[in-house]
Amino acid sequence: MKLMLIGGGGREHALAWKMAQSPLCERLWAAPGNPGMTACAECVDISADDTEGLIRFAGEQGVDMVVIGPEDPLAAGLGDAVREAGMLCFGPTAAGARIEADKAYAKEIMRAAAVPTAETRIFTDLETAKAYVLSREHGVAVKAAGLARGKGVVICPEPYQAVRPLERMMSEGVFGEAGKKVLLEELLTGQEATVLALTDGKSIYPMEPLQDHKPIGDGDTGPNTGGMGAYSPVPVVDRQTMDRVEREVLVPVVDAMRRDFGRYEGVLYCGLMFTAAGPKVLEFNCRFGDPECQPLMMRLKSDLVEAMAAVAEHRLGDVTLEWDRRASVCVVLASGGYPDEYRKGLEITGVDEADAMDDVQVFHAGTAERGGKLVTAGGRVLGVTALGDDIAAARERAYAAVEKIHFEGCVYRTDIGAKALGD
Ligand code: AMP
Ligand code: GLY
């Protein structure tokens, strides 16, 4: 098959790395891709938001299937355009992407399907939102309703702490239109985990559970980021728990979306809190998680392209995936200052030495090539990912690889995977 992958982050590097290993993969283009992906894909300089340019290029090359990595092009309707052009598409339509792009819509679907989630109130008026939160006894999670690159949630253990984030989102416009509508949610407590499921809109295939690390600092301190590391498997999510997630979350939500607009196809990301009362949904995303995708792809033994084509052709029921029994840990290296202001263009060394280690893959996220040198080009720069017999071994190997890599102001968490070890 001729394949085209949209996006250029760490998630897409991991997908390209895995797709290129498929015997079905005849050619693989990545738009726009990144310097790390040139080893497994032909990178073409078309931006992920240039729908017309992408469709034209894919048509000219006779692409059979387009795989869409990030949420922005999905929400903008690239999945619809690909299907209209007669190509197979891995990724939902714009109607499906609303499950992520509009958190108020996600709550409506969850209510309609009786999916367990935090109690929520939705506001479009700042003064009403402030009055509501100040009348509460308990804290809240303040959430921008639209897309905010994983940074649109502020946890406020005390009600008064919600006032500033509400002002920033609703009147100062820090997230633009995405923050004009805000959700105020009760705070849930428990262990958090991510479950990603493939679905063709009818069949559902839950993949191995993962745990992300959203705050910038060790011990889950500091502001939330897109994700500073992830690991798999997650000891708290056993077989029985996975069955419950499938029964109480995945099946009802996929059915409710089918009733609402038709098939939801691609990958459904469920951010879950395992509370004393059972699993509750924190958020849905319409794509693979980043960085969750990196350790997940390291553990996937089956043919990813075959599974993606089965989704796009509505025959996911035929597919069984095999997983490496070993554990995988991904440590994200970020540029100093992230998730706020950070510098770009800093030279990166040691990537090849780290990559040469057994069972280690360094996935590029925010990198660029300048004058033959690899330099930083984003907040999250690299995802150093390793396999090991257990989480402790995978962690040790990932951090040994991290030590080989250098750039000015490099920051990373030193406790990725520690929760699984009870540290
Ligand atoms: P989200 O982007 O919705 O997953 O939120 C980012 C992070 O905020 C999550 O990974 C949780 O750690 C936290 N969070 C979100 N909603 C809640 C909630 N209702 N209660 C407690 N923590 C939450
Ligand atoms: N790692 C969180 C996300 O991809 O949304």
Side-chain angles (χ1 to χ4, degrees):
M1 290 178 96
K2 292 185 178 172
L3 304 164
M4 184 162 168
L5 172 65
I6 311 302
R11 163 185 47 216
E12 287 77 26
H13 187 181
L15 292 175
W17 172 76
K18 192 66 198 166
M19 287 165 74
Q21 293 168 29
S22 165
L24 294 173
C25 178
E26 202 181 311
R27 265 184 102 168
L28 172 61
W29 291 275
N34 69 36
M37 288 160 83
T38 53
C40 46
E42 300 169 57
C43 295
V44 285
D45 191 18
I46 311 176
S47 143
D49 61 13
D50 180 4
T51 304
E52 219 177 285
L54 293 169
I55 298 290
R56 192 181 324 115
F57 179 85
E60 283 165 5
Q61 301 296 334
V63 165
D64 299 297
M65 180 165 70
V66 177
V67 173
I68 306 173
E71 61 275 21
D72 294 300
L74 287 165
L78 181 59
D80 305 75
V82 169
R83 289 175 177 89
E84 276 159 29
M87 289 173 270
L88 290 176
C89 184
F90 181 86
T93 58
R98 267 186 89 196
I99 198 77
E100 169 169 5
D102 181 355
K103 285 183 195 280
Y105 171 74
K107 286 284 170 185
E108 251 174 61
I109 287 282
M110 283 189 263
R111 196 172 307 128
V115 169
T117 183
E119 267 179 54
T120 304
R121 297 272 298 260
I122 299 166
F123 296 90
T124 49
D125 177 66
L126 173 62
E127 293 310 318
T128 323
K130 280 204 266 189
Y132 165 77
V133 80
L134 292 173
S135 73
R136 285 176 55 96
E137 272 178 47
H138 302 290
V140 287
V142 180
K143 300 188 172 188
L147 295 178
R149 314 212 160 278
K151 296 167 204 156
V153 175
V154 186
I155 303 300
C156 307
E158 297 296 332
Y160 75 88
Q161 293 168 321
V163 171
R164 265 312 285 154
L166 281 171
E167 287 169 349
R168 282 166 49 78
M169 289 183 199
M170 300 182 84
S171 86
E172 292 161 31
V174 284
F175 300 121
E177 281 306 306
K180 293 282 151 71
K181 198 195 274 180
V182 167
L183 284 74
L184 294 179
E185 275 191 13
E186 73 170 313
L187 290 181
L188 301 175
T189 49
Q191 278 265 16
E192 225 183 300
T194 305
V195 173
L196 299 164
L198 295 177
T199 175
D200 59 10
K202 284 200 171 154
S203 300
I204 297 167
Y205 199 102
M207 296 183 275
E208 292 287 282
L210 298 120
Q211 197 161 49
D212 187 11
H213 297 66
K214 285 196 173 123
I216 184 81
D218 281 357
D220 287 339
T221 52
N224 271 337
T225 68
M228 292 299 292
Y231 67 90
S232 175
V234 185
V236 288
V237 189
D238 56 15
R239 191 64 258 162
Q240 235 176 339
T241 311
M242 279 298 279
D243 288 346
R244 195 163 171 194
V245 169
E246 185 166 3
R247 202 169 55 239
E248 295 179 12
V249 176
L250 293 169
V251 171
V253 78
V254 168
D255 285 349
M257 285 194 280
R258 195 169 63 242
R259 285 194 295 276
D260 190 48
F261 60 80
R263 285 175 185 263
Y264 176 94
E265 296 170 39
V267 60
L268 181 63
Y269 171 119
C270 309
L272 298 161
M273 187 77 90
F274 292 90
T275 71
K280 294 193 180 188
V281 174
L282 293 173
E283 63 165 345
F284 285 119
N285 291 328
C286 62
R287 46 157 180 94
F288 284 98
D290 189 340
E292 289 97 325
C293 188
Q294 290 83 317
L296 188 70
M297 289 303 121
M298 293 277 290
R299 290 194 60 213
L300 179 61
K301 288 172 88 175
S302 306
D303 183 344
L304 177 64
V305 174
E306 165 59 23
M308 287 173 156
V311 166
E313 293 173 342
H314 303 163
R315 49 177 182 79
L316 181 61
D318 301 347
V319 167
T320 326
L321 299 179
E322 231 193 292
W323 299 96
D324 197 317
R325 296 173 70 89
R326 290 176 295 168
S328 177
V329 170
C330 169
V331 179
V332 170
L333 307 189
S335 203
Y338 175 78
D340 300 317
E341 293 293 302
Y342 53 84
R343 284 166 66 199
K344 291 185 188 175
L346 304 164
E347 185 179 352
I348 310 168
T349 58
V351 171
D352 290 343
E353 289 88 319
D355 232 355
M357 289 172 62
D358 286 341
D359 293 322
V360 171
Q361 291 295 328
V362 180
F363 295 116
H364 291 226
T367 67
E369 217 144 46
R370 198 195 282 160
K373 286 186 178 150
L374 190 67
V375 299
T376 67
R380 292 190 293 174
V381 177
L382 297 164
V384 181
T385 315
L387 285 168
D389 286 335
D390 52 23
I391 291 185
R395 255 191 102 189
E396 210 169 291
R397 188 168 296 164
Y399 280 110
V402 164
E403 291 199 352
K404 298 189 186 292
I405 300 175
H406 301 280
F407 56 87
E408 199 188 319
C410 170
V411 291
Y412 57 89
R413 282 182 61 160
T414 63
D415 62 349
I416 304 301
K419 268 187 217 155
L421 305 173
D423 290 8

